[in-house]
Amino acid sequence: MKTWNNKAWFMVLPVLALVAFSAVIPLMTVVNYSVQDTFGNNVFFWAGTEWFEEVLASDRFWAAMGRNLAFSAIILAIEVPLGIFIALNMPRRGWGVPVCLVFMALPLLIPFNVVGTIWQVFGRIDIGLLGRGLYALGLDYNYVNDPIDAWVTIILMDVWHWTSLVVLLCYAGLVSIPDAYYQAAKIDGASRWAVFRYIQLPKMHRVLLIAILLRFMDSFMIYTEPFVLTGGGPGNTTTFLSIDLVKLAIGEFNLGEAAAMSIIYFLIILLMSWVFYTVMTNYGTEKG
Amino acid sequence: MSFSWMAWTWPTATFFIVIALLLISMGVWEYLSPGGNPRVGVLRFETTRGDRLFVSLLGAAFINLAWLGLVGPSLWWALALSVIYAIGVFRSV
């Protein structure tokens, strides 16, 4: 027998009011801005779908989107295998466990703008350890002028900042595997690869999925760290969607176009969030 | 309290009124037939009416954007396509 009592929904009302002020009303305003043009003074002119057409036809938008996707793909390709590798090699018992966990958690605790500043100083060729060190080795490294160096630095920074998340999630998956599985594998004479492929990887599957989706979403929305490190440069080579959006809205005061771009960006993120949520809530249910 | 800073226009107001009416009618539907009618459709996982509305609206947004980018600024055909898409979603997802 089912009981239907929806009175608990009234408890949600305060949150609903808060969300209305913090999210729904600003979002409505952005939609209103996206179909108009303004030169300030709260005077608006109807523009229809012009801004959307402009954004969809602009090379600048697609270039930023391409850079964003490339960035997400590269960091996932590095962070996921590296995270699994580190998690597999972390101690399972003894004093090493808390030490490793604390060291792994440290980069995650540092605020985004501080991470950007740390790497900005670290990479400088006059005083930074990385920049100065590479210079001393005879490498022509300069993240301020060279696009490839800028990309390498941003990717290194992201790997340094976020691989820990993948490690911690994978580690949580690994420690939940009962010893009996390993004993059975040993009796069968399974190789190291077979243990990984048929015992560890299936047990990590779920947390790995969460890690991949979280890292994809986060890297797709990245703003603070590259903004502090390179400011989108040299040229536009590290201008991701969010940086481009801020340039458009605040730098150029092009509110209509920025609003249209925000909505397109928002829709893409909404779609990804939906996929993320659906996969997480449904994964495994169809099998069970 | 003035809302002039929100720069309202009739088309955007209509858009949000339609969304609000959709949500209200979903509420009424839920009241009349509670439970959200969960079922497993072509996406091979369980969806409720609310999920189907969300997928319809999100899909409609992308259909309109794609139309704007690939065809042109007249969005009535895109709207018609979105309605057909929504009917498809409500019947088979």
Side-chain angles (χ1 to χ4, degrees), chain A residues 61-117:
Chain A
F61 173 74
W62 292 110
M65 172 85 84
R67 281 191 286 270
N68 236 150
L69 289 172
F71 175 73
S72 296
I74 293 170
I75 62 115
L76 279 179
I78 298 174
E79 286 174 19
V80 172
L82 186 64
I84 294 174
F85 178 76
I86 296 173
L88 285 174
N89 287 296
M90 266 168 66
R92 302 287 154 74
R93 49 182 73 85
W95 60 269
V97 176
V99 173
C100 281
L101 288 178
V102 168
F103 270 109
M104 280 294 141
L106 273 180
L108 299 174
L109 301 175
I110 301 174
F112 292 29
N113 52 346
V114 178
V115 172
T117 314

Side-chain angles (χ1 to χ4, degrees), chain A:
Chain A
M1 196 183 87
K2 282 183 179 173
T3 309
W4 295 104
N5 179 358
N6 289 326
K7 287 200 179 76
W9 285 106
F10 287 111
M11 305 276 187
V12 186
L13 277 181
V15 176
L16 210 62
L18 207 70
V19 170
F21 276 99
S22 68
V24 178
I25 289 177
L27 186 67
M28 283 176 162
T29 313
V30 170
V31 172
N32 290 341
Y33 273 36
S34 72
V35 291
Q36 297 176 86
D37 197 4
T38 182
F39 302 103
N41 260 347
N42 223 9
V43 180
F44 292 89
F45 304 94
W46 176 254
T49 54
E50 242 172 74
W51 291 126
F52 288 93
E53 287 166 63
E54 206 153 296
V55 171
L56 290 170
S58 89
D59 294 336
R60 177 179 162 172
F61 173 74
W62 292 110
M65 172 85 84
R67 281 191 286 270
N68 236 150
L69 289 172
F71 175 73
S72 296
I74 293 170
I75 62 115
L76 279 179
I78 298 174
E79 286 174 19
V80 172
L82 186 64
I84 294 174
F85 178 76
I86 296 173
L88 285 174
N89 287 296
M90 266 168 66
R92 302 287 154 74
R93 49 182 73 85
W95 60 269
V97 176
V99 173
C100 281
L101 288 178
V102 168
F103 270 109
M104 280 294 141
L106 273 180
L108 299 174
L109 301 175
I110 301 174
F112 292 29
N113 52 346
V114 178
V115 172
T117 314
I118 289 174
W119 280 79
Q120 209 235 21
V121 176
F122 189 47
R124 277 175 64 164
I125 45 169
D126 50 351
I127 54 168
L129 189 63
L130 175 73
R132 192 87 198 133
L134 289 175
Y135 183 72
L137 288 172
L139 288 168
D140 186 22
Y141 168 85
N142 188 344
Y143 74 84
V144 182
N145 294 333
D146 189 285
I148 293 175
D149 292 351
W151 267 81
V152 168
T153 316
I154 287 183
I155 288 163
L156 270 179
M157 172 175 68
D158 201 81
V159 168
W160 176 81
H161 194 185
W162 289 110
T163 304
S164 309
L165 182 79
V166 184
V167 173
L168 293 178
L169 283 168
C170 288
Y171 188 72
L174 281 176
V175 291
S176 70
I177 304 173
D179 270 344
Y181 282 69
Y182 293 113
Q183 286 159 9
K186 210 171 185 178
I187 292 165
D188 288 346
S191 66
R192 182 73 195 83
W193 167 252
V195 171
F196 174 70
R197 174 69 189 81
Y198 297 106
I199 297 175
Q200 291 169 325
L201 198 59
K203 283 284 175 188
M204 280 194 294
H205 199 154
R206 199 182 166 85
V207 282
L208 213 50
L209 202 66
I210 296 171
I212 291 170
L213 289 166
L214 268 179
R215 282 312 303 134
F216 179 70
M217 298 256 300
D218 267 351
S219 60
F220 199 72
M221 297 190 290
I222 194 163
Y223 174 74
T224 319
E225 296 138 297
F227 181 74
V228 173
L229 185 71
T230 62
N236 273 333
T237 47
T238 56
T239 302
F240 299 117
L241 281 172
S242 57
I243 297 178
D244 203 27
L245 184 59
V246 173
K247 275 186 183 170
L248 202 59
I250 296 169
E252 301 167 24
F253 200 69
N254 204 342
L255 293 183
E257 194 176 348
M261 187 178 157
S262 312
I263 291 170
I264 297 171
Y265 194 11
F266 170 70
L267 285 171
I268 296 169
I269 289 173
L270 196 61
L271 178 70
M272 291 187 331
S273 310
W274 179 75
V275 171
F276 177 43
Y277 177 78
T278 311
V279 169
M280 272 182 59
T281 48
N282 290 295
Y283 178 73
T285 50
E286 71 269 25
K287 287 177 192 163

Side-chain angles (χ1 to χ4, degrees), chain B:
Chain B
M1 195 159 70
S2 163
F3 282 103
S4 66
W5 61 272
M6 285 180 76
W8 280 105
T9 62
W10 274 111
T12 48
T14 314
F15 172 75
F16 283 113
I17 288 168
V18 169
I19 303 260
L21 285 176
L22 276 174
L23 291 178
I24 290 167
S25 49
M26 290 297 282
V28 172
W29 193 357
E30 180 67 21
Y31 180 77
L32 294 175
S33 130
N37 186 23
R39 63 151 192 252
V40 178
V42 287
L43 292 178
R44 290 192 298 136
F45 56 78
E46 197 176 84
T47 54
T48 60
R49 280 197 289 265
D51 294 328
R52 277 166 239 147
L53 179 71
F54 179 77
V55 173
S56 303
L57 289 177
L58 193 60
F62 280 102
I63 289 171
N64 277 278
L65 278 181
W67 191 277
L68 210 51
L70 302 172
V71 183
S74 176
L75 288 173
W76 293 108
W77 282 110
L79 183 68
L81 204 61
S82 303
V83 172
I84 295 169
Y85 168 74
I87 292 169
V89 167
F90 268 85
R91 287 178 144 242
S92 61
V93 169

